[in-house]
Amino acid sequence: MNDPRSQVVGSLVDTWSKFEGETRGLSEAQWTFRPGPGAWTLAELAEHLALIEGSMLRLITGKLVQAEASSELIAATEGKAALIERRVPDRTRRVESPESLKPTGRWIRPELAVAAFGESRRAAIRWFETTPLDLRRYVAPHPFLGPIDGWQWGLFLAEHLRRHLFQIAELLEAPGYPNR
């Protein structure tokens, strides 16, 4: 798929749909099950995802598009989409979340974090569907990936959720995960 708009929007929709499917109808015991020391619960994952989705959306629709990047920065983004698709969902490498994006119980119920995530994801999809900007011309640094363009930031959002979908699958298969 060569059209970045279709790729980004399709990936955002696909991962959101899967996330909603995994989090629908869970019991409190399922939301709060911790598979091991230091591991996040589904409720904590939902909170993290809501936080990062909102934060990244603000970066993409605000700071990123303030000014077009230099040709050198644009050139530095070459091939990053493939890198994002390969590295971001890879769970063999542990990545520490920034403190501001770690769960602290900000939402009373996990379903509210899922809803907050959904609001941000819906806004991201709408923005990527309708922006008239050539997002290849707008670049911002990512802490692990270096400079990435606007379309690559959208792809990052989708692949970050995909990473956590793999984490959710691991959690659901963990010994002791409650049936209800």
Side-chain angles (χ1 to χ4, degrees):
M1 185 182 313
N2 290 336
D3 173 34
R5 184 181 311 270
S6 297
Q7 180 184 17
V8 167
V9 170
S11 293
L12 289 170
V13 169
D14 176 61
T15 53
W16 181 24
S17 172
K18 289 176 180 168
F19 177 62
E20 283 189 324
E22 293 292 354
T23 57
R24 190 174 299 120
L26 297 176
S27 69
E28 184 175 342
Q30 290 168 320
W31 277 115
T32 59
F33 174 76
R34 188 174 309 281
W40 285 356
T41 66
L42 281 170
E44 290 167 333
L45 272 169
E47 179 179 348
H48 166 73
L49 290 167
L51 292 170
I52 199 162
E53 193 82 6
S55 173
M56 293 299 101
L57 181 59
R58 286 187 297 280
L59 177 134
I60 293 165
T61 61
K63 183 179 176 184
L64 174 77
V65 296
Q66 287 179 356
E68 289 188 13
S70 68
S71 56
E72 293 82 18
L73 265 180
I74 292 169
T77 68
E78 190 67 35
K80 292 282 181 88
L83 179 69
I84 290 166
E85 289 176 316
R86 187 177 67 252
R87 282 188 55 196
V88 174
D90 180 6
R91 296 244 332 124
T92 62
R93 293 178 350 115
R94 183 165 168 81
V95 178
E96 187 72 24
S97 179
E99 280 304 313
S100 62
L101 300 174
K102 287 183 178 176
T104 61
R106 290 167 182 89
W107 280 274
I108 296 169
R109 294 190 333 267
E111 297 91 339
L112 297 176
V114 172
F117 170 86
E119 287 176 29
S120 292
R121 179 56 62 103
R122 189 175 300 106
I125 291 167
R126 188 172 36 255
W127 191 82
F128 281 105
E129 284 176 330
T130 62
T131 184
L133 299 173
D134 177 359
L135 292 178
R136 290 184 189 113
R137 305 199 53 75
Y138 297 86
V139 177
H142 184 279
F144 301 112
L145 300 165
I148 60 177
D149 70 29
W151 293 118
Q152 293 163 346
W153 274 102
L155 192 56
F156 171 80
L157 277 178
E159 294 305 317
H160 175 262
L161 179 53
R162 192 175 319 280
R163 175 184 185 82
H164 287 297
L165 287 168
F166 289 137
Q167 184 177 6
I168 290 169
E170 293 165 9
L171 195 147
L172 298 177
E173 296 298 319
Y177 180 77
N179 291 333
R180 281 299 308 149

